[in-house]
Amino acid sequence: ETGVTQTPRHLVMGMTNKKSLKCEQHLGHNAMYWYKQSAKKPLELMFVYSLEERVENNSVPSRFSPECPNSSHLFLHLHTLQPEDSALYLCASSQELLSTEAFFGQGTRLTVV
Amino acid sequence: GQNIDQPTEMTATEGAIVQINCTYQTSGFNGLFWYQQHAGEAPTFLSYNVLDGLEEKGRFSSFLSRSKGYSYLLLKELQMKDSASYLCAVRSEDTDKLIFGTGTRLQVFP
């Protein structure tokens, strides 16, 4: 248990669906991140939020839309995804942006059919 | 360009010592991290090196040589529960972003 909770753990969606991934941390951290982990590929940073403001958008397609309503919650809204978007989506948080330790959630395993 | 290289898979025997290497080429350097990830679970932080040398933490140690762009994670007295993927990541000085390697899947056999 890392203190970062992601829901759902598994999600299957069609290419025309709209769904949202949720991440929650009550560690008092100020920075939150979305990562994508595909098979046999490195973890890819998607978005970074610091104090609820987006500070990094790593050339992610617009079909992925993040939202950070407060410092404890982070969402990833999904729409019109492609099969190649199937992956494990990991949320992480850290005390500050440049903290040496980040805490990861267990991820949402997304399958796009 | 940015590149992190580590072996894809390694195997070792319970009670043995294993060294997982990581080499990197990044635009600037602001720290190297090792994470452990068991199958289906969250990556968990193991170590952080920003200066050259060895950092020891129980059965795990991490070494860094900045001039060689090289790090290793040393696991001693291996246990079955050490079977996991080990992710090497470098923080780029230019962007402060964490760049991850593909991970090394370690299997420990009895």
Side-chain angles (χ1 to χ4, degrees):
Chain A
E1 178 58 52
T2 63
V4 180
T5 305
Q6 289 187 243
T7 52
R9 291 291 308 277
H10 301 272
L11 178 63
V12 179
M13 60 185 288
M15 288 190 282
T16 58
N17 291 159
K18 286 185 182 180
K19 295 285 184 184
S20 295
L21 310 185
K22 180 182 176 183
C23 175
E24 192 172 350
Q25 59 89 9
H26 295 288
L27 301 168
H29 289 174
N30 292 321
M32 295 186 78
Y33 314 79
W34 279 117
Y35 284 89
K36 176 182 178 182
Q37 189 174 36
S38 304
K40 301 195 188 305
K41 287 187 177 179
L43 267 172
E44 300 170 52
L45 179 64
M46 299 175 72
F47 300 105
V48 181
Y49 276 82
S50 176
L51 296 170
E52 300 145 49
E53 283 195 27
R54 192 190 311 180
V55 296
E56 182 82 35
N57 177 349
N58 213 22
S59 303
V60 180
S62 60
R63 56 186 185 268
F64 295 91
S65 174
E67 179 192 0
C68 187
N70 55 62
S71 59
S72 300
H73 294 85
L74 186 65
F75 294 90
L76 188 62
H77 304 299
L78 316 170
H79 65 98
T80 58
L81 293 193
Q82 305 297 312
E84 59 264 30
D85 296 322
S86 298
L88 181 68
Y89 288 85
L90 289 162
C91 172
S93 72
S94 61
Q95 187 63 54
E96 305 294 342
L97 263 183
L98 297 181
S99 295
T100 56
E101 185 171 357
F103 293 80
F104 283 83
Q106 291 186 290
T108 296
R109 174 68 62 187
L110 174 67
T111 304
V112 181
V113 297
Chain B
Q2 320 267 47
N3 199 42
I4 313 280
D5 282 314
Q6 47 182 135
T8 306
E9 290 192 1
M10 297 182 72
T11 58
T13 309
E14 202 174 10
I17 299 173
V18 71
Q19 178 174 310
I20 303 174
N21 296 324
C22 172
T23 58
Y24 62 89
Q25 299 95 39
T26 57
S27 52
F29 176 83
N30 198 14
L32 185 141
F33 301 75
W34 284 96
Y35 281 83
Q36 179 192 60
Q37 186 178 22
H38 286 99
E41 295 186 16
T44 54
F45 172 83
L46 287 178
S47 68
Y48 169 71
N49 294 69
V50 68
L51 299 175
D52 290 349
L54 190 68
E55 294 278 344
E56 296 187 73
K57 201 187 277 188
R59 293 188 299 114
F60 292 8
S61 305
S62 57
F63 171 82
L64 174 68
S65 168
R66 288 171 296 170
S67 61
K68 295 181 181 175
Y70 167 69
S71 171
Y72 67 73
L73 181 70
L74 192 72
L75 293 79
K76 301 177 189 173
E77 301 166 20
L78 278 175
Q79 301 175 11
M80 298 294 291
K81 66 177 183 180
D82 297 328
S83 295
S85 285
Y86 291 86
L87 311 176
C88 174
V90 173
R91 176 172 280 152
S92 161
E93 187 176 43
D94 294 351
T95 65
D96 290 324
K97 286 195 294 191
L98 264 187
I99 303 157
F100 280 85
T102 52
T104 299
R105 186 164 165 255
L106 173 68
Q107 279 191 285
V108 180
F109 293 101

PDB file of all heavy atoms in Angstrom, chain A residues 73-96:
ATOM      1  N   HIS A  73      -6.643  14.764  -5.793  1.00  0.00           N
ATOM      2  CA  HIS A  73      -7.306  13.982  -6.832  1.00  0.00           C
ATOM      3  C   HIS A  73      -6.799  14.339  -8.224  1.00  0.00           C
ATOM      4  O   HIS A  73      -6.561  15.512  -8.530  1.00  0.00           O
ATOM      5  CB  HIS A  73      -8.829  14.213  -6.788  1.00  0.00           C
ATOM      6  CG  HIS A  73      -9.473  13.686  -5.551  1.00  0.00           C
ATOM      7  ND1 HIS A  73      -9.543  14.417  -4.380  1.00  0.00           N
ATOM      8  CD2 HIS A  73     -10.042  12.482  -5.292  1.00  0.00           C
ATOM      9  CE1 HIS A  73     -10.147  13.693  -3.453  1.00  0.00           C
ATOM     10  NE2 HIS A  73     -10.471  12.521  -3.984  1.00  0.00           N
ATOM     11  N   LEU A  74      -6.687  13.309  -9.027  1.00  0.00           N
ATOM     12  CA  LEU A  74      -6.259  13.487 -10.417  1.00  0.00           C
ATOM     13  C   LEU A  74      -7.079  12.543 -11.273  1.00  0.00           C
ATOM     14  O   LEU A  74      -7.265  11.379 -10.923  1.00  0.00           O
ATOM     15  CB  LEU A  74      -4.765  13.161 -10.559  1.00  0.00           C
ATOM     16  CG  LEU A  74      -4.103  13.417 -11.907  1.00  0.00           C
ATOM     17  CD1 LEU A  74      -4.099  14.907 -12.230  1.00  0.00           C
ATOM     18  CD2 LEU A  74      -2.679  12.871 -11.900  1.00  0.00           C
ATOM     19  N   PHE A  75      -7.593  13.071 -12.386  1.00  0.00           N
ATOM     20  CA  PHE A  75      -8.393  12.261 -13.297  1.00  0.00           C
ATOM     21  C   PHE A  75      -7.724  12.227 -14.668  1.00  0.00           C
ATOM     22  O   PHE A  75      -6.991  13.141 -15.048  1.00  0.00           O
ATOM     23  CB  PHE A  75      -9.810  12.838 -13.455  1.00  0.00           C
ATOM     24  CG  PHE A  75     -10.632  12.785 -12.194  1.00  0.00           C
ATOM     25  CD1 PHE A  75     -10.608  13.842 -11.289  1.00  0.00           C
ATOM     26  CD2 PHE A  75     -11.430  11.693 -11.920  1.00  0.00           C
ATOM     27  CE1 PHE A  75     -11.363  13.798 -10.127  1.00  0.00           C
ATOM     28  CE2 PHE A  75     -12.197  11.633 -10.760  1.00  0.00           C
ATOM     29  CZ  PHE A  75     -12.154  12.696  -9.865  1.00  0.00           C
ATOM     30  N   LEU A  76      -8.002  11.160 -15.397  1.00  0.00           N
ATOM     31  CA  LEU A  76      -7.609  11.088 -16.806  1.00  0.00           C
ATOM     32  C   LEU A  76      -8.862  10.709 -17.585  1.00  0.00           C
ATOM     33  O   LEU A  76      -9.360   9.588 -17.475  1.00  0.00           O
ATOM     34  CB  LEU A  76      -6.496  10.062 -17.020  1.00  0.00           C
ATOM     35  CG  LEU A  76      -5.870  10.037 -18.406  1.00  0.00           C
ATOM     36  CD1 LEU A  76      -5.203  11.387 -18.730  1.00  0.00           C
ATOM     37  CD2 LEU A  76      -4.844   8.912 -18.531  1.00  0.00           C
ATOM     38  N   HIS A  77      -9.384  11.684 -18.338  1.00  0.00           N
ATOM     39  CA  HIS A  77     -10.588  11.454 -19.124  1.00  0.00           C
ATOM     40  C   HIS A  77     -10.193  10.913 -20.497  1.00  0.00           C
ATOM     41  O   HIS A  77      -9.281  11.433 -21.139  1.00  0.00           O
ATOM     42  CB  HIS A  77     -11.386  12.759 -19.276  1.00  0.00           C
ATOM     43  CG  HIS A  77     -11.749  13.388 -17.962  1.00  0.00           C
ATOM     44  ND1 HIS A  77     -12.534  12.748 -17.025  1.00  0.00           N
ATOM     45  CD2 HIS A  77     -11.416  14.601 -17.433  1.00  0.00           C
ATOM     46  CE1 HIS A  77     -12.695  13.525 -15.976  1.00  0.00           C
ATOM     47  NE2 HIS A  77     -12.021  14.657 -16.191  1.00  0.00           N
ATOM     48  N   LEU A  78     -10.891   9.865 -20.911  1.00  0.00           N
ATOM     49  CA  LEU A  78     -10.544   9.150 -22.140  1.00  0.00           C
ATOM     50  C   LEU A  78     -11.711   9.201 -23.116  1.00  0.00           C
ATOM     51  O   LEU A  78     -12.865   8.976 -22.725  1.00  0.00           O
ATOM     52  CB  LEU A  78     -10.240   7.679 -21.818  1.00  0.00           C
ATOM     53  CG  LEU A  78      -9.376   7.400 -20.589  1.00  0.00           C
ATOM     54  CD1 LEU A  78      -9.364   5.908 -20.267  1.00  0.00           C
ATOM     55  CD2 LEU A  78      -7.973   7.916 -20.825  1.00  0.00           C
ATOM     56  N   HIS A  79     -11.427   9.493 -24.374  1.00  0.00           N
ATOM     57  CA  HIS A  79     -12.490   9.444 -25.378  1.00  0.00           C
ATOM     58  C   HIS A  79     -11.905   9.131 -26.746  1.00  0.00           C
ATOM     59  O   HIS A  79     -10.814   9.579 -27.085  1.00  0.00           O
ATOM     60  CB  HIS A  79     -13.296  10.753 -25.402  1.00  0.00           C
ATOM     61  CG  HIS A  79     -12.504  11.943 -25.831  1.00  0.00           C
ATOM     62  ND1 HIS A  79     -12.530  12.431 -27.131  1.00  0.00           N
ATOM     63  CD2 HIS A  79     -11.668  12.750 -25.157  1.00  0.00           C
ATOM     64  CE1 HIS A  79     -11.744  13.485 -27.207  1.00  0.00           C
ATOM     65  NE2 HIS A  79     -11.223  13.705 -26.031  1.00  0.00           N
ATOM     66  N   THR A  80     -12.658   8.355 -27.511  1.00  0.00           N
ATOM     67  CA  THR A  80     -12.267   7.910 -28.858  1.00  0.00           C
ATOM     68  C   THR A  80     -10.850   7.382 -28.877  1.00  0.00           C
ATOM     69  O   THR A  80     -10.001   7.816 -29.686  1.00  0.00           O
ATOM     70  CB  THR A  80     -12.449   9.024 -29.908  1.00  0.00           C
ATOM     71  OG1 THR A  80     -11.677  10.172 -29.544  1.00  0.00           O
ATOM     72  CG2 THR A  80     -13.898   9.406 -30.033  1.00  0.00           C
ATOM     73  N   LEU A  81     -10.570   6.446 -27.981  1.00  0.00           N
ATOM     74  CA  LEU A  81      -9.232   5.861 -27.916  1.00  0.00           C
ATOM     75  C   LEU A  81      -9.013   4.864 -29.041  1.00  0.00           C
ATOM     76  O   LEU A  81      -9.963   4.401 -29.690  1.00  0.00           O
ATOM     77  CB  LEU A  81      -9.016   5.182 -26.568  1.00  0.00           C
ATOM     78  CG  LEU A  81      -8.966   6.079 -25.338  1.00  0.00           C
ATOM     79  CD1 LEU A  81      -8.438   5.308 -24.142  1.00  0.00           C
ATOM     80  CD2 LEU A  81      -8.123   7.316 -25.570  1.00  0.00           C
ATOM     81  N   GLN A  82      -7.747   4.522 -29.251  1.00  0.00           N
ATOM     82  CA  GLN A  82      -7.345   3.550 -30.259  1.00  0.00           C
ATOM     83  C   GLN A  82      -6.839   2.274 -29.568  1.00  0.00           C
ATOM     84  O   GLN A  82      -6.392   2.339 -28.413  1.00  0.00           O
ATOM     85  CB  GLN A  82      -6.214   4.140 -31.114  1.00  0.00           C
ATOM     86  CG  GLN A  82      -6.545   5.478 -31.748  1.00  0.00           C
ATOM     87  CD  GLN A  82      -7.711   5.360 -32.713  1.00  0.00           C
ATOM     88  OE1 GLN A  82      -7.739   4.464 -33.548  1.00  0.00           O
ATOM     89  NE2 GLN A  82      -8.681   6.250 -32.586  1.00  0.00           N
ATOM     90  N   PRO A  83      -6.873   1.146 -30.264  1.00  0.00           N
ATOM     91  CA  PRO A  83      -6.364  -0.096 -29.644  1.00  0.00           C
ATOM     92  C   PRO A  83      -4.934   0.037 -29.125  1.00  0.00           C
ATOM     93  O   PRO A  83      -4.595  -0.557 -28.094  1.00  0.00           O
ATOM     94  CB  PRO A  83      -6.466  -1.111 -30.783  1.00  0.00           C
ATOM     95  CG  PRO A  83      -7.589  -0.613 -31.629  1.00  0.00           C
ATOM     96  CD  PRO A  83      -7.494   0.889 -31.575  1.00  0.00           C
ATOM     97  N   GLU A  84      -4.099   0.845 -29.784  1.00  0.00           N
ATOM     98  CA  GLU A  84      -2.711   0.994 -29.324  1.00  0.00           C
ATOM     99  C   GLU A  84      -2.595   1.778 -28.020  1.00  0.00           C
ATOM    100  O   GLU A  84      -1.512   1.877 -27.444  1.00  0.00           O
ATOM    101  CB  GLU A  84      -1.839   1.662 -30.403  1.00  0.00           C
ATOM    102  CG  GLU A  84      -2.304   3.046 -30.825  1.00  0.00           C
ATOM    103  CD  GLU A  84      -3.162   3.012 -32.078  1.00  0.00           C
ATOM    104  OE1 GLU A  84      -3.863   1.991 -32.317  1.00  0.00           O
ATOM    105  OE2 GLU A  84      -3.147   4.023 -32.816  1.00  0.00           O
ATOM    106  N   ASP A  85      -3.719   2.332 -27.561  1.00  0.00           N
ATOM    107  CA  ASP A  85      -3.726   3.005 -26.256  1.00  0.00           C
ATOM    108  C   ASP A  85      -3.884   2.015 -25.108  1.00  0.00           C
ATOM    109  O   ASP A  85      -3.805   2.414 -23.931  1.00  0.00           O
ATOM    110  CB  ASP A  85      -4.859   4.040 -26.199  1.00  0.00           C
ATOM    111  CG  ASP A  85      -4.676   5.158 -27.203  1.00  0.00           C
ATOM    112  OD1 ASP A  85      -3.515   5.581 -27.414  1.00  0.00           O
ATOM    113  OD2 ASP A  85      -5.700   5.603 -27.785  1.00  0.00           O
ATOM    114  N   SER A  86      -4.112   0.764 -25.437  1.00  0.00           N
ATOM    115  CA  SER A  86      -4.207  -0.273 -24.391  1.00  0.00           C
ATOM    116  C   SER A  86      -2.868  -0.351 -23.660  1.00  0.00           C
ATOM    117  O   SER A  86      -1.813  -0.518 -24.283  1.00  0.00           O
ATOM    118  CB  SER A  86      -4.536  -1.633 -25.015  1.00  0.00           C
ATOM    119  OG  SER A  86      -5.786  -1.591 -25.668  1.00  0.00           O
ATOM    120  N   ALA A  87      -2.913  -0.216 -22.341  1.00  0.00           N
ATOM    121  CA  ALA A  87      -1.682  -0.178 -21.543  1.00  0.00           C
ATOM    122  C   ALA A  87      -2.064  -0.124 -20.071  1.00  0.00           C
ATOM    123  O   ALA A  87      -3.242  -0.086 -19.710  1.00  0.00           O
ATOM    124  CB  ALA A  87      -0.835   1.045 -21.903  1.00  0.00           C
ATOM    125  N   LEU A  88      -1.045  -0.095 -19.228  1.00  0.00           N
ATOM    126  CA  LEU A  88      -1.247   0.147 -17.796  1.00  0.00           C
ATOM    127  C   LEU A  88      -1.016   1.634 -17.554  1.00  0.00           C
ATOM    128  O   LEU A  88       0.031   2.174 -17.924  1.00  0.00           O
ATOM    129  CB  LEU A  88      -0.252  -0.684 -16.980  1.00  0.00           C
ATOM    130  CG  LEU A  88      -0.348  -0.556 -15.452  1.00  0.00           C
ATOM    131  CD1 LEU A  88      -1.651  -1.178 -14.949  1.00  0.00           C
ATOM    132  CD2 LEU A  88       0.846  -1.232 -14.780  1.00  0.00           C
ATOM    133  N   TYR A  89      -2.001   2.302 -16.993  1.00  0.00           N
ATOM    134  CA  TYR A  89      -1.886   3.737 -16.708  1.00  0.00           C
ATOM    135  C   TYR A  89      -1.639   3.901 -15.211  1.00  0.00           C
ATOM    136  O   TYR A  89      -2.454   3.512 -14.377  1.00  0.00           O
ATOM    137  CB  TYR A  89      -3.139   4.482 -17.179  1.00  0.00           C
ATOM    138  CG  TYR A  89      -3.166   4.538 -18.682  1.00  0.00           C
ATOM    139  CD1 TYR A  89      -3.694   3.484 -19.423  1.00  0.00           C
ATOM    140  CD2 TYR A  89      -2.604   5.608 -19.383  1.00  0.00           C
ATOM    141  CE1 TYR A  89      -3.669   3.497 -20.805  1.00  0.00           C
ATOM    142  CE2 TYR A  89      -2.577   5.632 -20.770  1.00  0.00           C
ATOM    143  CZ  TYR A  89      -3.105   4.567 -21.467  1.00  0.00           C
ATOM    144  OH  TYR A  89      -3.069   4.584 -22.846  1.00  0.00           O
ATOM    145  N   LEU A  90      -0.489   4.497 -14.914  1.00  0.00           N
ATOM    146  CA  LEU A  90      -0.054   4.637 -13.527  1.00  0.00           C
ATOM    147  C   LEU A  90      -0.123   6.087 -13.092  1.00  0.00           C
ATOM    148  O   LEU A  90       0.312   6.983 -13.817  1.00  0.00           O
ATOM    149  CB  LEU A  90       1.398   4.149 -13.373  1.00  0.00           C
ATOM    150  CG  LEU A  90       1.621   2.644 -13.474  1.00  0.00           C
ATOM    151  CD1 LEU A  90       3.077   2.348 -13.756  1.00  0.00           C
ATOM    152  CD2 LEU A  90       1.195   1.958 -12.200  1.00  0.00           C
ATOM    153  N   CYS A  91      -0.639   6.281 -11.906  1.00  0.00           N
ATOM    154  CA  CYS A  91      -0.635   7.597 -11.274  1.00  0.00           C
ATOM    155  C   CYS A  91       0.463   7.598 -10.216  1.00  0.00           C
ATOM    156  O   CYS A  91       0.742   6.564  -9.591  1.00  0.00           O
ATOM    157  CB  CYS A  91      -2.000   7.854 -10.650  1.00  0.00           C
ATOM    158  SG  CYS A  91      -2.102   9.328  -9.635  1.00  0.00           S
ATOM    159  N   ALA A  92       1.110   8.720 -10.028  1.00  0.00           N
ATOM    160  CA  ALA A  92       2.126   8.836  -8.985  1.00  0.00           C
ATOM    161  C   ALA A  92       2.003  10.194  -8.330  1.00  0.00           C
ATOM    162  O   ALA A  92       1.448  11.137  -8.906  1.00  0.00           O
ATOM    163  CB  ALA A  92       3.528   8.643  -9.562  1.00  0.00           C
ATOM    164  N   SER A  93       2.527  10.300  -7.114  1.00  0.00           N
ATOM    165  CA  SER A  93       2.572  11.599  -6.449  1.00  0.00           C
ATOM    166  C   SER A  93       3.912  11.734  -5.739  1.00  0.00           C
ATOM    167  O   SER A  93       4.572  10.739  -5.404  1.00  0.00           O
ATOM    168  CB  SER A  93       1.415  11.753  -5.457  1.00  0.00           C
ATOM    169  OG  SER A  93       1.605  10.951  -4.302  1.00  0.00           O
ATOM    170  N   SER A  94       4.315  12.977  -5.513  1.00  0.00           N
ATOM    171  CA  SER A  94       5.526  13.248  -4.751  1.00  0.00           C
ATOM    172  C   SER A  94       5.301  14.529  -3.957  1.00  0.00           C
ATOM    173  O   SER A  94       4.434  15.343  -4.290  1.00  0.00           O
ATOM    174  CB  SER A  94       6.754  13.369  -5.654  1.00  0.00           C
ATOM    175  OG  SER A  94       6.608  14.430  -6.565  1.00  0.00           O
ATOM    176  N   GLN A  95       6.120  14.697  -2.913  1.00  0.00           N
ATOM    177  CA  GLN A  95       5.928  15.845  -2.035  1.00  0.00           C
ATOM    178  C   GLN A  95       5.944  17.153  -2.837  1.00  0.00           C
ATOM    179  O   GLN A  95       5.063  17.984  -2.724  1.00  0.00           O
ATOM    180  CB  GLN A  95       7.027  15.860  -0.967  1.00  0.00           C
ATOM    181  CG  GLN A  95       6.818  16.913   0.108  1.00  0.00           C
ATOM    182  CD  GLN A  95       5.551  16.677   0.903  1.00  0.00           C
ATOM    183  OE1 GLN A  95       5.339  15.602   1.441  1.00  0.00           O
ATOM    184  NE2 GLN A  95       4.695  17.679   0.950  1.00  0.00           N
ATOM    185  N   GLU A  96       7.026  17.299  -3.617  1.00  0.00           N
ATOM    186  CA  GLU A  96       7.131  18.440  -4.506  1.00  0.00           C
ATOM    187  C   GLU A  96       7.536  17.919  -5.877  1.00  0.00           C
ATOM    188  O   GLU A  96       7.826  16.739  -6.041  1.00  0.00           O
ATOM    189  CB  GLU A  96       8.190  19.442  -3.997  1.00  0.00           C
ATOM    190  CG  GLU A  96       8.004  19.923  -2.576  1.00  0.00           C
ATOM    191  CD  GLU A  96       6.747  20.755  -2.387  1.00  0.00           C
ATOM    192  OE1 GLU A  96       6.187  21.245  -3.384  1.00  0.00           O
ATOM    193  OE2 GLU A  96       6.311  20.900  -1.224  1.00  0.00           O
TER     194      GLU A  96
END
